[in-house]
Amino acid sequence: MISIQQREQLHSQIWKMAGEVRGAVDGWDFKQFVLGMLFYRFLSEHFAAYVEDGAEAGFRYADMSDEDIPEESRAALIDQKGYFIAPSQLFENVARDATKDKDLNIHLREIFDAIEGSAVGYSSEPDLKGLFADFDTTSTRLGTSVEEKNRRLCAVMLGVAALDFGTFEESQIDLFGDAYEFLISNYAANAGKSGGEFFTPSQVSKLIAELALYGQARVNKIYDPACGSGSLLLQARRLFEEDRIQDGFYGQEVNLTTYNLARMNMFLHGINYDKFNIQLGDTLLAPKHLEEKPFDAIVSNPPYSISWVGAEDPTLINDERFAPAGVLAPRSKADFAFILHAVNHLSARGRAAVVCFPGIFYRGGAEQKIRKYLVDSNYIECVISLPPNLFYGTSIAVNILTLSKHKADARIRFIDASGEDFFRKETNNNVLTDEHIAHIVELFASGEDVPHVARWVDLKDIEEQDYNLSVSSYIEAEDTREEINITELNARIRQTVARIDALRSDIDTIITELEA
């Protein structure tokens, strides 16, 4: 494994390269070219390493001729890896001749089409289809002329080629995946809300994954109904042994660009095509994993208070996900629609951990009715308030809601993890450290109340509060003001007043004597 210092050095090189090669192009608009080229290099090296594994010493797939690959070998490789790359199409061979290739943008497009096309007719076809769609080598964002496009593509390719990822067999997958997430997070941080709304910072992802899998020695599969770039799913992959998540990683994403990022991210973290199922589409209106449910672990950071069709589509009240609550989430606030979707997809032994906008826990109307349904059904396990300013582009202090269908008692755990003891201040954002995460998970698992921090509340008490689930309604903030003894203060005031009166009397006497 690579050292922390080496990783930081690599990150610095990547970010410097990304800034230098983009020129006048906006960083957020340019991200897919850097990310796409990094992914192309990964696929090439990963595929070549797989072909060379077990071969005689000195054999290099990149040195072979395309014509020397038997058709049966090509088919077998696609069955195993999900795609095929001919030797001439490998990143290292294209990069070697990039400066002399006057049709580089066309050749790259043909290679990307060929990689995607190699999976047609195989079980991996859905996982490869459109994978490079956002790497548009003809885009005007690269330049207005063919020469300008090729010059910038060549700069990106050579910049990515110059990055030192070490020996592939030893650490390449970890490094490629780590570099990819580093780029995504930095692009998101620099783009503000428009870029960062789909990206969950790694430490928050880690907390959510730890909560969802807490106490589960093994889960059938893990699911994110609004998976963004896949960071929450990948945290679970990073935290736990691969065999602990038996049947793979499932997610759905509505944004095409982000959907492609998520699929690339799976490959980059060494998850083979047959171990993930990422689908494109609107989770609330066109759920794609109804046949795969239930899931033992669900993690999610759905978009906060977005609009959806809601009651304008009267058929939705008959949907098995929303019908049990007897009411639909408000048209202007779809938060509880995502939560009800998660409950519907959760197994009887599993747990869901969902990032939530705080307002959904105390607002009235349909949201109050849905809270009543969830509380009365005893599905709500814990509500945790987090520190503000953890996410890119928003300073909101979000909450985490955990849901379970196998609770042992009729209580809900409330945790106030918003104080200064639960985050570290950095330049632009607050961050959770591993120690903070461990502390929150410990509070989550504890059976004890902690004054001003954590408390168990009976469901009947929540009913008396009109199903308000706001953490601040059940945990009193610690009064850090200095305690003042009023009796002592009044005594000191009387002494001060007496002293002032004596001084005034002395001053009056002196003035009288001077005037005599």
Side-chain angles (χ1 to χ4, degrees):
M1 292 300 293
I2 193 167
S3 70
I4 294 175
Q5 185 177 1
Q6 288 173 306
R7 175 177 279 112
E8 289 177 349
Q9 184 178 4
L10 179 61
H11 286 177
S12 177
Q13 292 172 343
I14 291 172
W15 193 240
K16 181 180 178 183
M17 178 274 297
E20 288 177 347
V21 300
R22 71 181 175 89
V25 183
D26 179 79
W28 182 248
D29 290 336
F30 197 63
K31 73 182 186 307
Q32 60 261 43
F33 300 108
V34 176
L35 292 168
M37 197 69 78
L38 188 70
F39 181 63
Y40 172 37
R41 178 179 166 181
F42 166 81
L43 282 185
S44 295
E45 295 186 11
H46 184 57
F47 188 82
Y50 186 81
V51 174
E52 293 165 6
D53 185 38
E56 61 185 34
F59 170 72
R60 272 178 36 87
Y61 180 65
D63 295 335
M64 291 187 68
S65 169
D66 292 0
E67 291 72 27
D68 292 338
I69 313 296
E71 184 59 34
E72 57 271 21
S73 297
R74 182 182 185 276
L77 285 167
I78 299 172
D79 269 333
Q80 295 156 11
K81 299 308 298 174
Y83 61 94
F84 178 81
I85 303 179
S88 67
Q89 298 171 334
L90 292 173
F91 177 90
E92 69 168 277
N93 286 333
V94 177
R96 182 191 60 212
D97 301 323
T99 56
K100 300 176 290 184
D101 190 348
K102 295 182 179 180
D103 297 314
L104 179 63
N105 66 327
I106 296 173
H107 290 157
L108 284 173
R109 184 70 264 162
E110 291 172 347
I111 290 170
F112 299 155
D113 289 345
I115 294 173
E116 292 179 16
S118 68
V120 173
Y122 292 83
S123 58
S124 60
E125 181 177 353
D127 300 304
L128 271 292
K129 186 176 181 180
L131 197 57
F132 288 96
D134 289 306
F135 196 155
D136 182 4
T137 61
T138 64
S139 172
T140 56
R141 285 179 290 186
L142 288 168
T144 56
S145 66
V146 173
E147 292 77 11
E148 194 175 355
K149 290 181 176 69
N150 285 340
R151 184 167 60 251
R152 189 156 278 138
L153 284 170
C154 185
V156 176
M157 175 164 266
L158 295 180
V160 170
L163 297 172
D164 182 12
F165 287 100
T167 304
F168 191 93
E169 293 83 353
E170 294 178 358
S171 59
Q172 195 90 349
I173 292 173
D174 286 341
L175 284 179
F176 265 109
D178 182 76
Y180 195 76
E181 285 200 65
F182 167 79
L183 278 168
I184 291 177
S185 64
N186 273 271
Y187 279 126
N190 282 269
K193 185 178 187 300
S194 62
E197 60 188 357
F198 71 90
F199 186 79
T200 308
S202 61
Q203 292 301 97
V204 180
S205 299
K206 182 177 180 180
L207 172 60
I208 296 166
E210 289 210 16
L211 290 170
L213 282 94
Y214 180 83
Q216 301 196 73
R218 185 165 293 185
V219 299
N220 61 353
K221 44 203 168 188
I222 187 166
Y223 170 60
D224 185 344
C227 67
S229 61
S231 61
L232 284 168
L233 294 172
L234 291 168
Q235 273 296 337
R237 166 71 162 76
R238 185 177 288 112
L239 288 171
F240 304 105
E241 303 85 4
E242 194 164 354
D243 61 355
R244 189 170 175 182
I245 302 171
Q246 296 173 285
D247 300 323
F249 304 79
Y250 294 74
Q252 186 166 341
E253 172 56 36
V254 69
N255 180 280
L256 176 62
T257 296
T258 316
Y259 159 71
N260 286 331
L261 289 180
R263 292 190 294 164
M264 289 181 181
N265 225 350
M266 293 293 131
F267 281 112
L268 281 158
H269 284 81
I271 301 176
N272 207 40
Y273 76 92
D274 57 348
K275 282 294 185 181
F276 72 84
N277 184 335
I278 308 295
Q279 296 287 336
L280 176 66
D282 187 325
T283 298
L284 299 182
L285 301 182
K288 302 292 187 180
H289 295 101
L290 295 175
E291 299 299 321
E292 286 80 13
K293 68 175 187 176
F295 298 91
D296 288 345
I298 297 177
V299 292
S300 190
N301 178 18
Y304 308 144
S305 298
I306 61 166
S307 298
W308 74 309
V309 64
E312 286 192 2
D313 181 354
T315 65
L316 283 173
I317 196 61
N318 299 316
D319 189 299
E320 66 175 38
R321 298 169 296 165
F322 312 128
V327 65
L328 295 170
R331 184 177 178 278
S332 61
K333 302 176 184 68
D335 308 69
F336 269 117
F338 283 103
I339 291 170
L340 290 173
H341 173 93
V343 169
N344 174 263
H345 281 59
L346 186 62
S347 73
R349 62 180 293 270
R351 179 182 296 112
V354 184
V355 180
C356 300
F357 181 79
I360 70 168
F361 293 112
Y362 57 79
R363 291 190 295 239
E367 292 179 311
Q368 182 186 36
K369 293 177 182 177
I370 296 173
R371 291 197 303 272
K372 181 180 186 303
Y373 159 70
L374 294 171
V375 171
D376 290 348
S377 301
N378 204 19
Y379 289 152
I380 296 180
E381 186 178 32
C382 184
V383 184
I384 306 169
S385 64
L386 293 182
N389 205 30
L390 290 175
F391 291 78
Y392 304 120
T394 179
S395 61
I396 296 171
V398 301
N399 290 180
I400 295 178
L401 173 70
T402 69
L403 301 153
S404 171
K405 292 182 177 179
H406 62 278
K407 291 174 59 183
D409 56 19
R411 299 185 299 169
I412 294 176
R413 183 78 161 160
F414 290 88
I415 299 173
D416 184 356
S418 63
E420 293 183 358
D421 292 340
F422 291 94
F423 67 91
R424 184 182 69 213
K425 180 69 176 175
E426 291 195 351
T427 306
N428 296 319
N429 286 83
N430 295 327
V431 297
L432 302 176
T433 66
D434 287 345
E435 291 74 20
H436 296 137
I437 292 171
H439 188 191
I440 294 171
V441 173
E442 181 182 358
L443 288 168
F444 169 79
S446 173
E448 303 297 323
D449 288 353
V450 179
H452 312 296
V453 176
R455 179 186 169 198
W456 286 103
V457 179
D458 292 335
L459 297 191
K460 60 181 179 57
D461 294 331
I462 292 171
E463 181 181 356
E464 291 174 0
Q465 291 283 342
D466 293 327
Y467 297 94
N468 185 332
L469 294 174
S470 177
V471 172
S472 61
S473 296
Y474 301 98
I475 297 181
E476 182 181 1
E478 185 176 5
D479 189 348
T480 58
R481 294 174 298 177
E482 181 183 357
E483 186 174 328
I484 298 173
N485 187 312
I486 298 299
T487 302
E488 290 181 2
L489 178 61
N490 286 334
R492 289 202 301 269
I493 290 174
R494 284 193 298 269
Q495 291 172 359
T496 302
V497 170
R499 178 62 177 156
I500 291 173
D501 288 342
L503 289 171
R504 282 176 176 169
S505 177
D506 291 345
I507 291 171
D508 289 344
T509 301
I510 293 170
I511 292 174
T512 301
E513 292 175 350
L514 290 173
E515 290 177 344

